[in-house]
Amino acid sequence: MGLTAKLFIVAGLGAAFLVARWKDPAFDVESLKGARVLVTGASMGIGEQIAYHLAKAGAQIVITARRGHVLEKVVQKCLDLGAQKALFIPADMSVVADPDRVVTFAVDQLGGLDYLVLNHIGPSPFAMWDGDVEHVRWLMQVNFISFVQMTQKALPFLEQSKGSLMAVSSMLGKVCSPLALPYTATKFAINGFFGSLRHELAMKKSNVSISVCTLGLIDTESAMEKIKPYSDMPGLFIDFVPSLRDYMIQNLYHYEP
């Protein structure tokens, strides 16, 4: 058996041991009762469902996305589910002033902030990159820079409440893949920034916790419709061996120049 194989086995055994021994403290749903939460990208999908779970726990919620008429319906459902308070503010995260405006609104309406959930994304084609630099720049503002802006604005309030920040990322921020270059770049940026910010807050003994949620391919109608012309894959794979990676890419994706 080669040295590389032995190292993989040792690393695997070590990881298994740590998983077996490590026990995270149980999360108490009751702690969300009355919690002041701002959720972005909450008009549909993951953000909408997060808002409903928070509502069931009795949280105070501010949600945001671009479409005010849709947010209004989500807010009403949140109130029906038991939210102590539910408000919305339409915003376009490609507009530089909007991220700060949303945080200010949430803090003013809720009297502070306990949780910030950064979940919004901008639309991007699932296709070969056509060289459109302006789209990359726009998407970076929506998917990444606005996350940073909202974090900077919210951190003082999260410090006061010993709060938490959650940034929703993707496996495409860990594993390179074709047909989603601008999106992938923004997710790598999120993983790098918030992973490093977590370390800096720990160094400063900050009482704010950072969670980066790295999601795989989710079986939503919009996601499946996007990848359908190009791939039949049910999920993503890890980028370990370059030759194997290239073989899998060539066989998982359908592309005709």
Side-chain angles (χ1 to χ4, degrees), residues 4-75:
T4 302
K6 289 180 180 178
L7 288 174
F8 268 115
I9 290 172
V10 171
L13 289 173
F17 175 78
L18 286 174
V19 169
R21 296 289 297 174
W22 184 267
K23 290 183 179 179
D24 285 328
F27 179 73
D28 182 10
V29 177
E30 283 293 314
S31 66
L32 291 174
K33 192 171 184 178
R36 300 161 298 180
V37 191
L38 170 57
V39 183
T40 71
S43 62
M44 61 184 295
I46 295 168
E48 180 185 3
Q49 296 305 315
I50 288 173
Y52 295 153
H53 281 287
L54 290 165
K56 291 175 185 176
Q60 303 177 69
I61 312 163
V62 168
I63 61 172
T64 187
R66 289 176 301 162
R67 298 176 297 167
H69 66 285
V70 179
L71 291 172
E72 189 172 8
K73 295 176 182 177
V74 176
V75 157

Side-chain angles (χ1 to χ4, degrees), residues 14 35 39 78 92 129 140 143 148 151 165 205 207 211 225 227:
V39 183
C78 285
D92 182 344
W129 185 52
M140 193 64 76
N143 286 12
V148 176
T151 299
L165 182 151
K205 295 182 171 58
N207 54 23
S211 297
E225 282 301 314
I227 72 166

Side-chain angles (χ1 to χ4, degrees), residues 102-114:
V102 169
V103 174
T104 298
F105 175 85
V107 170
D108 288 347
Q109 294 296 319
L110 301 178
L113 202 59
D114 298 304

Side-chain angles (χ1 to χ4, degrees), residues 32-209:
L32 291 174
K33 192 171 184 178
R36 300 161 298 180
V37 191
L38 170 57
V39 183
T40 71
S43 62
M44 61 184 295
I46 295 168
E48 180 185 3
Q49 296 305 315
I50 288 173
Y52 295 153
H53 281 287
L54 290 165
K56 291 175 185 176
Q60 303 177 69
I61 312 163
V62 168
I63 61 172
T64 187
R66 289 176 301 162
R67 298 176 297 167
H69 66 285
V70 179
L71 291 172
E72 189 172 8
K73 295 176 182 177
V74 176
V75 157
Q76 185 56 57
K77 186 169 180 179
C78 285
L79 292 170
D80 294 341
L81 289 171
Q84 287 189 11
K85 181 183 287 188
L87 303 160
F88 73 91
I89 173 172
D92 182 344
M93 294 303 174
S94 70
V95 177
V96 174
D98 274 17
D100 284 0
R101 181 172 64 85
V102 169
V103 174
T104 298
F105 175 85
V107 170
D108 288 347
Q109 294 296 319
L110 301 178
L113 202 59
D114 298 304
Y115 296 94
L116 172 61
V117 181
L118 298 171
N119 167 71
H120 59 275
I121 57 171
S124 190
F126 192 77
M128 287 286 187
W129 185 52
D130 61 2
D132 188 349
V133 175
E134 284 307 311
H135 174 68
V136 176
R137 183 177 288 112
W138 177 86
L139 197 66
M140 193 64 76
Q141 166 62 36
V142 175
N143 286 12
F144 173 61
I145 299 297
S146 66
F147 278 46
V148 176
Q149 288 179 269
M150 296 185 78
T151 299
Q152 185 273 334
K153 189 76 172 177
L155 269 176
F157 303 103
L158 295 175
E159 287 276 6
Q160 291 171 15
S161 65
K162 298 182 181 180
S164 300
L165 182 151
M166 183 177 83
V168 177
S169 187
S170 167
M171 277 297 292
L172 289 185
K174 296 283 190 181
V175 180
C176 294
S177 173
L179 306 175
L181 271 63
Y183 176 85
T184 298
T186 65
K187 293 303 181 179
F188 264 87
I190 285 174
N191 285 349
F193 181 86
F194 286 99
S196 298
L197 178 61
R198 184 193 296 121
H199 294 318
E200 292 195 357
L201 292 178
M203 290 170 65
K204 295 192 293 185
K205 295 182 171 58
S206 169
N207 54 23
V208 176
S209 67

Side-chain angles (χ1 to χ4, degrees), residues 200-243:
E200 292 195 357
L201 292 178
M203 290 170 65
K204 295 192 293 185
K205 295 182 171 58
S206 169
N207 54 23
V208 176
S209 67
I210 302 282
S211 297
V212 179
C213 299
T214 303
L215 308 181
L217 178 61
I218 296 177
D219 190 14
T220 61
E221 185 177 347
S222 59
M224 293 298 102
E225 282 301 314
K226 236 178 188 183
I227 72 166
K228 189 176 180 181
Y230 300 98
S231 175
D232 301 319
M233 67 175 180
L236 297 173
F237 56 90
I238 298 177
D239 200 358
F240 279 139
V241 183
S243 57

